[in-house]
Amino acid sequence: MAAFYLAAGLLHLARPDSFLPIVPGWVPAPREVILLTGLAEIAGAIGLLVPRLRRAAGIGLALYALCVFPANIKHAFQGVALEALPSSWWYHGPRLALQPVLIWWALYAGGVIDWPWRRR
């Protein structure tokens, strides 16, 4: 999960303008928000690797995945085309359905929950 969020964060910092079309209109300062989300993803990725910060990072990344869900919804339902991403429902359907899995994964990776496996 740390590698996933590190890569995503670096992409947000390197190409923030690529993400502008999917930012909902009600988000203030969208370019700056994209840059901040990139920093949040990188911080979360690093936090998962530091035992003392792992729990906070897991909670932060779960909240992050929840907060970016409106952008994923806009991307899917308004048919916004982004370079290098498919625009079909074969992509959008699973992506939207798996957003709760990303939230669970962040909480699991952060040691916040252990469901469905119990730690011994």
Side-chain angles (χ1 to χ4, degrees), residues 36-88:
L36 288 172
T37 60
L39 292 173
E41 288 170 318
I42 292 168
I46 293 168
L48 287 177
L49 300 174
V50 178
R52 202 177 54 149
L53 302 175
R54 189 168 292 140
R55 183 176 176 83
I59 293 168
L61 288 172
L63 290 171
Y64 169 83
L66 181 65
C67 289
V68 299
F69 198 52
N72 296 340
I73 291 170
K74 179 181 178 182
H75 188 198
F77 285 98
Q78 291 186 6
V80 178
L82 292 182
E83 185 181 326
L85 287 180
S87 58
S88 76

Side-chain angles (χ1 to χ4, degrees), residues 17 19 50 56 66 70 73 96 99:
D17 293 339
F19 295 93
V50 178
L66 181 65
I73 291 170
L96 293 175
Q99 198 73 16

Side-chain angles (χ1 to χ4, degrees), residues 90-109:
W90 290 106
Y91 168 75
H92 290 298
R95 181 176 182 189
L96 293 175
L98 290 174
Q99 198 73 16
V101 174
L102 281 177
I103 294 168
W104 167 84
W105 189 17
L107 294 172
Y108 184 79

